Amino acid sequence: MDKTTLAYWQGNATALAIEGRAFIDGEYRPAESGRTFDSVSPIDGTVLAQVADCGEADVNAAVRAARRAFEAGVWSGLNPRQRKAKLLNWAALMREHLDELALLETLDAGKPIGDTTSVDVPGAAYCVEWFAEAIDKVGGEVVPADHHLVGLVTREPLGVVAAVVPWNFPILMASWKFGPALAAGNSVVLKPSEKSPLSAIRVAQLALEAGIPAGVFNVVPGGGEAGKLLALHRDVDCLAFTGSTNVGKLIMQYAGQSNLKRVWLELGGKSPNIVLPDCPDLDRAAKTAAGAIFYNMGEMCTAGSRLLVHRDIKDVFLDKLVDAARGYIPGNPLDPKTSMGAIVDQLQLDRVLGYIEAGRAEAKLLHGGSRVQQESGGFYIEPTVFDVSQHDAKIAREEIFGPVLSVITFDSIDEAVKIANDSDYGLAAAVWTANLTTAHEVARRLRAGTVWVNCYDEGGDMNFPFGGYRQSGNGRDKSLHALEKYTELKSTLVRLR
Ligand code: NAD
């Protein structure tokens, strides 16, 4: 069959058997209460599966299983080389099941199949491989100390790590947590978003097949309540969260109300993309600026949702930008030719349309602005561009998490940097210039965890730490620094005589 056709993926979707139960202690189980929720496809609004709606009994069972596995040492006690081998098996199984996992991701979250097959699923497998490959190469330290002492600094797994993740890159964001956490020897309880739980449920079975022992990796689908139960749980040692800033704030409070578990937060963004008049390639910059906000329907924490353009090049640049935006045509995500899929659900669709309404009142609409393909039963919005005269307008300040771009005009570098930094967030930023000194100086002044120069969203490479300044969060996913989140440092002092 020809994988480049819509018919191929539609055929596979019809034949797909979808698992909706929780995965606890090495087996699939319904929620103890018997409760389920509908997994609805944003492609056409059809119900894909009934998914276990995990509550207190299920969360407790998953944490108990994770703790038991941790204490038994069936994973934490292995030589890192042995953990590596099993994690590599798991990643290989993800690659073997790439089409199936990508299809689940596309059906569940509305992401284009071309992206889930090339970015999401291979990216998750790569993350697991990367941490597997790293874990038997990072050792501790022998510190300079008094002659009568041997001083060791070692890293130990925390114990039970709970991961609560969002729906925009379901399996990829989850892998950024479970990759390093498992490599470091922890047990994991993963709570996927209620909007996109299917790929996480499926990879759990693959983990067991790969030789990761029962109890080490558990998946409890459910909504905010299940996340809250994990964040309040006294036997969870760490809560690794990716999601909205509002929920991140609650998670910190839950940790304070319970056992002061370690809390790591990857939160929202309103990232500035600054185009200076000496931009080396306006065509590439315009195409990239469109991709920065319209890729994945704008449902990206790093979305370049504020485009700052110098007044001297504004008109010519906006022509190119709108041309590039026209290339994003919302369509059936199962069609490999589709570059823009569906918004994840009705709630998010309404939220984005609400922002577009606000935008019409406070800014000038340059492109898009409408819901389309309503007859499909799915949730599609055109790529939308606003020219914003006040940089603190609602649409230019709040995270929309949809395909809505605010263009802001500036007259000097100082003004651009000031506007860029005038945000509650600090996840990412970009600057376009041909001047090396300007590039470095502006990059230094931008208060963001990632700064791109003459590009945007480069950095699929695991070597780059990823995370935010300010209310975009704390800690870093990816890179060896991620291991710091999932380990405690221990000083051991041995007196020789
Ligand atoms: P969200 O905060 O609504 O939900 C995230 C997760 O938290 C979900 O699993 C949800 O069920 C759970 N949750 C909801 N209420 C909870 C509560 N009271 N206690 C515990 N858990 C709770 O976010 P979302 O809508 O799923 O995702 C979009 C957000 O995620 C955006 O703000 C986006 O910027 C952010 N995000 C950040 C990154 C990053 O790396 N910085 C990456 C992707 C997405």
Side-chain angles (χ1 to χ4, degrees):
M1 270 291 259
D2 183 359
K3 285 190 184 184
T4 62
T5 63
L6 173 62
Y8 172 84
W9 293 101
Q10 277 176 329
N12 275 14
T14 314
L16 195 62
I18 298 180
E19 178 59 70
R21 288 173 294 171
F23 192 83
I24 298 173
D25 210 5
E27 61 178 24
Y28 282 119
R29 300 182 191 175
E32 219 169 279
S33 65
R35 279 204 323 254
T36 58
F37 61 90
D38 287 347
S39 157
V40 176
S41 178
I43 297 178
D44 53 11
T46 53
V47 175
L48 295 165
Q50 307 289 323
V51 178
D53 190 4
C54 289
E56 193 166 4
D58 314 296
V59 165
N60 286 345
V63 174
R64 250 193 329 271
R67 175 64 61 192
R68 199 179 324 114
F70 185 75
E71 297 296 340
V74 291
W75 183 250
S76 54
L78 295 185
N79 182 317
R81 222 166 50 223
Q82 295 170 301
R83 287 204 296 272
K84 164 179 158 175
K86 292 181 194 303
L87 287 170
L88 289 178
N89 290 344
W90 192 22
L93 283 172
M94 287 183 201
R95 291 191 189 277
E96 220 171 275
H97 292 264
L98 187 143
D99 283 1
E100 179 195 352
L101 291 168
L103 191 53
L104 284 173
E105 209 78 319
T106 290
L107 291 169
D108 209 9
K111 300 163 69 80
I113 192 76
D115 295 344
T116 53
T117 49
S118 65
V119 175
D120 297 69
V121 180
Y126 164 54
C127 174
V128 171
E129 285 157 1
W130 196 93
F131 283 102
E133 295 284 4
I135 203 62
D136 62 347
K137 296 166 191 78
V138 287
E141 302 156 27
V142 179
V143 301
D146 283 346
H147 195 63
H148 67 274
L149 289 176
V150 174
L152 304 178
V153 179
T154 49
R155 284 198 173 274
E156 297 182 348
L158 296 171
V160 177
V161 172
V164 175
V165 297
W167 45 264
N168 60 336
F169 290 88
I171 200 60
L172 188 61
M173 290 301 100
S175 74
W176 288 8
K177 313 295 187 204
F178 64 60
L182 288 173
N186 298 282
S187 298
V188 169
V189 179
L190 168 65
K191 196 208 78 67
S193 168
E194 60 278 28
K195 302 184 189 206
S196 60
L198 301 179
S199 54
I201 293 173
R202 181 66 183 104
V203 295
Q205 174 74 39
L206 298 181
L208 195 72
E209 274 174 51
I212 296 172
V216 173
F217 182 66
N218 308 276
V219 177
V220 285
E225 191 52 34
K228 181 176 176 180
L229 287 163
L230 284 167
L232 280 169
H233 204 294
R234 290 187 174 270
D235 205 26
V236 168
D237 299 292
C238 167
L239 195 303
F241 177 75
T242 297
S244 63
T245 294
N246 284 343
V247 175
K249 288 180 181 179
L250 290 176
I251 296 228
M252 275 202 157
Q253 291 175 34
Y254 300 148
Q257 286 163 25
S258 52
N259 62 342
L260 275 186
K261 55 182 65 64
R262 275 76 187 119
V263 170
W264 303 111
L265 304 172
E266 299 289 347
L267 308 175
K270 192 76 188 176
S271 299
N273 181 14
I274 305 172
V275 188
L276 296 177
D278 68 340
C279 169
D281 183 344
L282 285 184
D283 289 312
R284 192 163 63 81
K287 273 202 190 91
T288 307
I293 182 68
F294 301 131
Y295 181 76
N296 208 51
M297 297 67 73
E299 296 167 342
M300 283 182 298
C301 51
T302 53
S305 50
R306 290 187 294 154
L307 176 66
L308 277 58
V309 187
H310 194 278
R311 193 176 304 278
D312 290 352
I313 54 164
K314 180 177 172 185
D315 289 345
V316 56
F317 191 75
L318 288 191
D319 282 349
K320 293 177 190 294
L321 175 81
V322 169
D323 258 1
R326 285 201 184 94
Y328 288 83
I329 302 163
N332 189 335
L334 287 173
D335 186 340
K337 290 180 211 58
T338 293
S339 58
M340 195 173 195
I343 303 291
V344 75
D345 67 0
Q346 178 82 51
L347 207 73
Q348 185 64 11
L349 178 93
D350 291 342
R351 210 173 151 258
V352 176
L353 291 174
Y355 274 107
I356 291 176
E357 272 320 293
R360 286 179 196 275
E362 63 185 356
K364 184 172 155 212
L365 183 65
L366 297 182
H367 182 71
S370 298
R371 179 177 183 184
V372 289
Q373 309 236 4
Q374 211 157 337
E375 66 289 353
S376 66
F379 315 119
Y380 300 86
I381 296 182
E382 290 176 307
T384 298
V385 182
F386 282 106
D387 188 356
V388 177
S389 51
Q390 297 293 329
H391 81 267
D392 57 353
K394 185 178 165 77
I395 55 164
R397 198 179 63 243
E398 296 179 13
E399 185 184 46
I400 298 175
F401 224 60
V404 183
L405 177 64
S406 292
V407 180
I408 300 164
T409 316
F410 66 86
D411 292 293
S412 69
I413 290 179
D414 282 350
E415 187 191 2
V417 170
K418 192 158 176 274
I419 294 171
N421 286 337
D422 184 15
S423 171
D424 288 340
Y425 299 111
L427 191 56
V431 60
W432 295 77
T433 174
N435 184 306
L436 187 65
T437 302
T438 309
H440 280 289
E441 284 181 351
V442 172
R444 278 186 191 171
R445 292 170 69 188
L446 290 168
R447 307 285 297 159
T450 297
V451 176
W452 291 291
V453 177
N454 296 336
C455 59
Y456 203 99
D457 266 330
E458 292 283 339
D461 196 303
M462 270 295 140
N463 285 297
F464 294 100
F466 180 87
Y469 283 28
R470 300 191 285 213
Q471 292 189 42
S472 288
N474 63 353
R476 295 293 181 266
D477 280 338
K478 300 171 63 195
S479 84
L480 292 180
H481 295 284
L483 294 171
E484 293 160 16
K485 293 162 65 157
Y486 304 112
T487 50
E488 290 284 15
L489 272 183
K490 177 175 279 182
S491 294
T492 304
L493 295 88
V494 183
R495 186 169 176 135
L496 297 177
R497 58 180 68 241

